[in-house]
Short mmCIF file of all heavy atoms in Angstrom, two decimals:
data_model
loop_
_atom_site.label_atom_id
_atom_site.label_comp_id
_atom_site.label_asym_id
_atom_site.label_seq_id
_atom_site.Cartn_x
_atom_site.Cartn_y
_atom_site.Cartn_z
N GLU T 1 -43.21 14.75 22.38
CA GLU T 1 -44.54 14.78 22.95
C GLU T 1 -45.25 16.07 22.56
O GLU T 1 -44.85 17.16 22.98
CB GLU T 1 -44.47 14.67 24.48
CG GLU T 1 -45.84 14.61 25.12
CD GLU T 1 -45.75 14.40 26.62
OE1 GLU T 1 -44.63 14.40 27.15
OE2 GLU T 1 -46.80 14.27 27.25
N PRO T 2 -46.31 16.00 21.73
CA PRO T 2 -46.98 17.23 21.29
C PRO T 2 -47.84 17.80 22.41
O PRO T 2 -48.41 17.07 23.22
CB PRO T 2 -47.85 16.75 20.12
CG PRO T 2 -48.13 15.32 20.42
CD PRO T 2 -46.91 14.79 21.13
N ILE T 3 -47.93 19.12 22.45
CA ILE T 3 -48.76 19.79 23.44
C ILE T 3 -49.72 20.73 22.73
O ILE T 3 -49.47 21.19 21.62
CB ILE T 3 -47.93 20.57 24.48
CG1 ILE T 3 -47.09 21.65 23.79
CG2 ILE T 3 -47.07 19.63 25.30
CD1 ILE T 3 -46.38 22.57 24.77
N MET T 4 -50.83 21.00 23.39
CA MET T 4 -51.88 21.84 22.82
C MET T 4 -51.44 23.30 22.78
O MET T 4 -51.04 23.86 23.81
CB MET T 4 -53.15 21.70 23.66
CG MET T 4 -54.34 22.46 23.13
SD MET T 4 -54.96 21.73 21.60
CE MET T 4 -56.31 22.83 21.22
N PRO T 5 -51.48 23.93 21.62
CA PRO T 5 -51.11 25.35 21.55
C PRO T 5 -52.23 26.24 22.10
O PRO T 5 -53.37 25.81 22.24
CB PRO T 5 -50.92 25.59 20.04
CG PRO T 5 -51.81 24.58 19.39
CD PRO T 5 -51.80 23.38 20.29
N SER T 6 -51.90 27.48 22.40
CA SER T 6 -52.89 28.44 22.87
C SER T 6 -53.62 29.05 21.66
O SER T 6 -52.99 29.61 20.76
CB SER T 6 -52.22 29.55 23.68
OG SER T 6 -53.17 30.53 24.05
N LEU T 7 -54.94 28.94 21.65
CA LEU T 7 -55.74 29.40 20.52
C LEU T 7 -56.71 30.51 20.89
O LEU T 7 -57.39 31.05 20.01
CB LEU T 7 -56.55 28.22 19.94
CG LEU T 7 -55.75 26.96 19.59
CD1 LEU T 7 -56.71 25.87 19.09
CD2 LEU T 7 -54.69 27.26 18.55
N ILE T 8 -56.75 30.89 22.16
CA ILE T 8 -57.71 31.90 22.62
C ILE T 8 -57.44 33.22 21.91
O ILE T 8 -56.31 33.70 21.84
CB ILE T 8 -57.63 32.09 24.15
CG1 ILE T 8 -57.85 30.76 24.87
CG2 ILE T 8 -58.64 33.14 24.61
CD1 ILE T 8 -59.18 30.14 24.61
N GLY T 9 -58.52 33.81 21.38
CA GLY T 9 -58.41 35.10 20.71
C GLY T 9 -58.18 35.02 19.21
O GLY T 9 -58.28 36.02 18.51
N LEU T 10 -57.86 33.81 18.70
CA LEU T 10 -57.59 33.66 17.28
C LEU T 10 -58.89 33.48 16.50
O LEU T 10 -59.91 33.07 17.05
CB LEU T 10 -56.68 32.46 17.02
CG LEU T 10 -55.28 32.48 17.65
CD1 LEU T 10 -54.52 31.22 17.25
CD2 LEU T 10 -54.51 33.72 17.24
N SER T 11 -58.84 33.79 15.22
CA SER T 11 -59.95 33.45 14.34
C SER T 11 -59.96 31.94 14.14
O SER T 11 -58.97 31.25 14.43
CB SER T 11 -59.80 34.15 12.99
OG SER T 11 -58.65 33.66 12.31
N LEU T 12 -61.07 31.42 13.62
CA LEU T 12 -61.15 29.98 13.40
C LEU T 12 -60.08 29.52 12.42
O LEU T 12 -59.43 28.49 12.64
CB LEU T 12 -62.54 29.62 12.86
CG LEU T 12 -62.73 28.14 12.48
CD1 LEU T 12 -62.53 27.24 13.68
CD2 LEU T 12 -64.11 27.92 11.87
N ARG T 13 -59.88 30.28 11.34
CA ARG T 13 -58.90 29.89 10.34
C ARG T 13 -57.50 29.78 10.95
O ARG T 13 -56.79 28.79 10.75
CB ARG T 13 -58.89 30.90 9.19
CG ARG T 13 -58.00 30.49 8.03
CD ARG T 13 -57.76 31.66 7.10
NE ARG T 13 -58.99 32.25 6.61
CZ ARG T 13 -59.57 31.90 5.48
NH1 ARG T 13 -59.03 30.98 4.73
NH2 ARG T 13 -60.68 32.49 5.08
N LYS T 14 -57.09 30.78 11.72
CA LYS T 14 -55.76 30.74 12.31
C LYS T 14 -55.64 29.66 13.38
O LYS T 14 -54.58 29.05 13.54
CB LYS T 14 -55.41 32.11 12.87
CG LYS T 14 -55.19 33.16 11.78
CD LYS T 14 -54.75 34.49 12.35
CE LYS T 14 -54.49 35.49 11.21
NZ LYS T 14 -54.08 36.81 11.71
N GLY T 15 -56.74 29.43 14.09
CA GLY T 15 -56.71 28.35 15.08
C GLY T 15 -56.52 26.99 14.43
O GLY T 15 -55.73 26.16 14.91
N LEU T 16 -57.22 26.75 13.32
CA LEU T 16 -57.06 25.49 12.61
C LEU T 16 -55.68 25.36 12.00
O LEU T 16 -55.14 24.25 11.89
CB LEU T 16 -58.14 25.36 11.54
CG LEU T 16 -59.58 25.22 12.05
CD1 LEU T 16 -60.56 25.18 10.90
CD2 LEU T 16 -59.72 23.98 12.92
N GLN T 17 -55.09 26.49 11.58
CA GLN T 17 -53.71 26.43 11.09
C GLN T 17 -52.77 25.92 12.17
O GLN T 17 -51.84 25.16 11.90
CB GLN T 17 -53.27 27.82 10.62
CG GLN T 17 -53.87 28.28 9.31
CD GLN T 17 -53.46 29.68 8.95
OE1 GLN T 17 -53.03 30.47 9.81
NE2 GLN T 17 -53.57 30.04 7.69
N GLN T 18 -53.01 26.33 13.43
CA GLN T 18 -52.13 25.96 14.53
C GLN T 18 -52.21 24.47 14.86
O GLN T 18 -51.20 23.85 15.21
CB GLN T 18 -52.49 26.79 15.78
CG GLN T 18 -52.20 28.27 15.65
CD GLN T 18 -50.72 28.56 15.72
OE1 GLN T 18 -49.98 27.90 16.43
NE2 GLN T 18 -50.27 29.54 14.96
N ILE T 19 -53.41 23.88 14.77
CA ILE T 19 -53.56 22.50 15.24
C ILE T 19 -53.64 21.49 14.10
O ILE T 19 -53.72 20.28 14.36
CB ILE T 19 -54.81 22.36 16.14
CG1 ILE T 19 -56.08 22.73 15.36
CG2 ILE T 19 -54.69 23.21 17.38
CD1 ILE T 19 -57.34 22.51 16.16
N SER T 20 -53.63 21.95 12.83
CA SER T 20 -53.79 20.99 11.74
C SER T 20 -52.64 19.99 11.68
O SER T 20 -52.81 18.86 11.23
CB SER T 20 -53.87 21.74 10.40
OG SER T 20 -52.68 22.48 10.15
N ARG T 21 -51.48 20.36 12.16
CA ARG T 21 -50.32 19.45 12.09
C ARG T 21 -50.45 18.25 13.01
O ARG T 21 -49.75 17.26 12.85
CB ARG T 21 -49.03 20.22 12.44
CG ARG T 21 -48.97 20.69 13.87
CD ARG T 21 -47.61 21.32 14.18
NE ARG T 21 -47.41 22.51 13.40
CZ ARG T 21 -47.72 23.74 13.83
NH1 ARG T 21 -48.27 23.90 15.03
NH2 ARG T 21 -47.50 24.79 13.10
N TYR T 22 -51.38 18.31 14.00
CA TYR T 22 -51.49 17.22 14.97
C TYR T 22 -52.48 16.14 14.54
O TYR T 22 -52.61 15.13 15.22
CB TYR T 22 -51.89 17.79 16.34
CG TYR T 22 -50.90 18.78 16.88
CD1 TYR T 22 -51.24 20.11 17.03
CD2 TYR T 22 -49.61 18.39 17.21
CE1 TYR T 22 -50.33 21.04 17.50
CE2 TYR T 22 -48.68 19.30 17.68
CZ TYR T 22 -49.05 20.64 17.82
OH TYR T 22 -48.13 21.55 18.28
N ASN T 23 -53.18 16.34 13.43
CA ASN T 23 -54.06 15.32 12.87
C ASN T 23 -55.10 14.83 13.89
O ASN T 23 -55.32 13.63 14.06
CB ASN T 23 -53.23 14.13 12.36
CG ASN T 23 -54.03 13.27 11.38
OD1 ASN T 23 -54.95 13.75 10.75
ND2 ASN T 23 -53.67 12.01 11.29
N ILE T 24 -55.74 15.79 14.57
CA ILE T 24 -56.82 15.43 15.49
C ILE T 24 -58.12 16.07 14.98
O ILE T 24 -58.10 17.07 14.26
CB ILE T 24 -56.53 15.90 16.94
CG1 ILE T 24 -56.30 17.42 16.96
CG2 ILE T 24 -55.35 15.16 17.52
CD1 ILE T 24 -56.07 17.97 18.36
N LYS T 25 -59.25 15.48 15.37
CA LYS T 25 -60.54 16.00 14.95
C LYS T 25 -60.86 17.26 15.74
O LYS T 25 -60.43 17.43 16.88
CB LYS T 25 -61.63 14.96 15.16
CG LYS T 25 -61.47 13.71 14.31
CD LYS T 25 -62.54 12.70 14.61
CE LYS T 25 -63.92 13.23 14.33
NZ LYS T 25 -64.96 12.20 14.55
N VAL T 26 -61.64 18.14 15.11
CA VAL T 26 -62.00 19.41 15.74
C VAL T 26 -63.51 19.54 15.77
O VAL T 26 -64.18 19.34 14.76
CB VAL T 26 -61.38 20.61 14.98
CG1 VAL T 26 -61.75 21.91 15.67
CG2 VAL T 26 -59.87 20.46 14.89
N ARG T 27 -64.05 19.85 16.93
CA ARG T 27 -65.48 20.14 17.08
C ARG T 27 -65.63 21.63 17.35
O ARG T 27 -64.97 22.18 18.24
CB ARG T 27 -66.08 19.31 18.22
CG ARG T 27 -67.58 19.53 18.38
CD ARG T 27 -68.15 18.73 19.54
NE ARG T 27 -68.03 17.30 19.28
CZ ARG T 27 -67.45 16.44 20.10
NH1 ARG T 27 -66.91 16.86 21.23
NH2 ARG T 27 -67.38 15.16 19.81
N ILE T 28 -66.49 22.30 16.59
CA ILE T 28 -66.61 23.75 16.65
C ILE T 28 -68.01 24.12 17.14
O ILE T 28 -69.01 23.58 16.66
CB ILE T 28 -66.36 24.39 15.27
CG1 ILE T 28 -64.94 24.04 14.80
CG2 ILE T 28 -66.54 25.90 15.30
CD1 ILE T 28 -64.71 24.35 13.35
#
C-alpha cells in the first residue's frame, strides 16, 4: 500500500523525484 511522502520544504524538482514512482498526476 503506497503512502504519500513528506514533500514540505523541498524544491519542485526534488518533490517530483519523490512522487514520480507512484504514477499520479501533479497540480502545481
Side-chain angles (χ1 to χ4, degrees):
E1 183 176 5
I3 61 173
M4 183 70 181
S6 176
L7 308 178
I8 304 299
L10 299 181
S11 65
L12 176 61
R13 186 195 304 267
K14 290 184 178 179
L16 293 177
Q17 286 177 339
Q18 293 287 325
I19 61 176
S20 62
R21 66 174 64 94
Y22 300 114
N23 199 26
I24 57 177
K25 295 178 61 176
V26 180
R27 182 181 296 126
I28 300 167

